[in-house]
Amino acid sequence: MIVWSCFIVAILLFLALDLGVFNKTPHIISTKEASKWTAIWVSISFVFSGVIYWLYDNAYIANPDGLKPTVAAMKFITGYLIELSLSVDNIFVIAIIFAAFKIPKKYQHRVLFWGILGAIVFRGLMIYFGVMLINKFAWTTYIFGLFLLYTAINMLFSKDEDQFDPKKSFAFRMIKKVIPITNTIEGEHFFVRRKHINAATPLFVALLVIEVMDVIFALDSVPAILAITSDPFLVFSSNIFAILGLRSMYFFLANMLEKFSYLEYSLIAILSFVGLKMLLHDFIEIPEWASLGFIALSLVVGIIISLVKNKPSTIDESE
């Protein structure tokens, strides 16, 4: 538990520095600042794979699956890439939520910060019960595999016009029944006092809707990483690093989402791959390097095709 405690304390320290030092004053996150922080979080995540190797090499943490240090490090990177890639859809939804509730850009970081704290708790619970189910009932692996395949097929055939409307969501309707909601932004406050009652601002509503949507997205991402490993620490740590990098990635990609429209097909390929891996794990053993290679290649191909297909035309209009 020492390693777990140190890891959680380190994450909370990172978050405290983030809100209390680097983003103490609300401001608009520029693309340059977001790209810098995205690079920092990705670098820290890959460096942490070295920490994983060191922990498993020296048996400083429980190793229920008897993983070799190199395999453990590769499983962490593979899981991290899966979680990061599946976060792309989450970014689309976050952008829609902020637009629906008219959240100013300078307050969006604050909403995402508190959203991450909630996501850490919910992901931790889902991972705990997911690992417990797989270890106690091996047949649940097939259920997770079928669910991932269903999700991939659903993404492939879903229509673009099926737009998500945050104000029509179940979460928003429940919030309105429980607490009054103001129509205006009150600075960075989540609650304000109105006629002797507390009322929630659009910032708080956006935060809760984002939390609910994160839980829904976790129904895909947690089973996906459980296809790679059922080691609790690897699953949790890779999830957390992906979540921590989600905020900066959002501000980096928010204005360029249309440029990466073909990434959705990469996500479909990845979900299909991990779903089939779970269904066929008793018959086919896929090497860890092959899983990592397929996921990385899917992401690279999706990015390249998106950039090529969405490249502005350079043809002179006068011609």
Side-chain angles (χ1 to χ4, degrees), residues 139-176:
W139 51 266
T140 55
T141 302
Y142 299 105
I143 294 178
F144 287 149
L146 288 171
F147 178 73
L148 292 176
L149 280 179
Y150 167 77
T151 303
I153 294 171
N154 190 51
M155 287 177 64
L156 183 61
F157 294 103
S158 62
K159 298 179 180 179
D160 292 337
E161 57 265 23
D162 295 338
Q163 293 290 334
F164 167 69
D165 186 352
K167 292 187 176 181
K168 293 181 180 178
S169 66
F170 174 79
F172 180 70
R173 294 199 303 269
M174 289 299 101
I175 295 169
K176 286 189 68 175

Side-chain angles (χ1 to χ4, degrees), residues 155-156 260-271 298 302:
M155 287 177 64
L156 183 61
F260 297 95
S261 56
Y262 286 86
L263 258 181
E264 184 174 3
Y265 294 100
S266 297
L267 306 187
I268 292 171
I270 291 171
L271 285 174
S298 298

Side-chain angles (χ1 to χ4, degrees), residues 110-144:
R110 178 176 174 82
V111 174
L112 291 179
F113 172 87
W114 291 106
I116 280 176
L117 286 180
I120 290 174
V121 174
F122 287 124
R123 293 290 179 100
L125 290 172
M126 294 181 74
I127 289 168
Y128 173 78
F129 287 110
V131 171
M132 183 180 69
L133 283 173
I134 284 182
N135 289 334
K136 193 168 184 179
F137 308 104
W139 51 266
T140 55
T141 302
Y142 299 105
I143 294 178
F144 287 149

Side-chain angles (χ1 to χ4, degrees), residues 27 56 60 85 89 121 143 151 161 179 187 211 215 217 270 294 296:
H27 65 284
Y56 283 76
Y60 288 147
S85 61
D89 267 1
V121 174
I143 294 178
T151 303
E161 57 265 23
I179 187 171
E211 290 285 11
V215 172
F217 277 105
I270 291 171
F294 179 86

Side-chain angles (χ1 to χ4, degrees), residues 235-256:
V235 176
F236 183 72
S237 58
S238 58
N239 246 275
I240 297 307
F241 273 106
I243 292 172
L244 290 174
L246 177 62
R247 289 166 306 154
S248 56
M249 186 181 293
Y250 167 77
F251 292 108
F252 178 61
L253 294 177
N255 298 322
M256 301 184 293

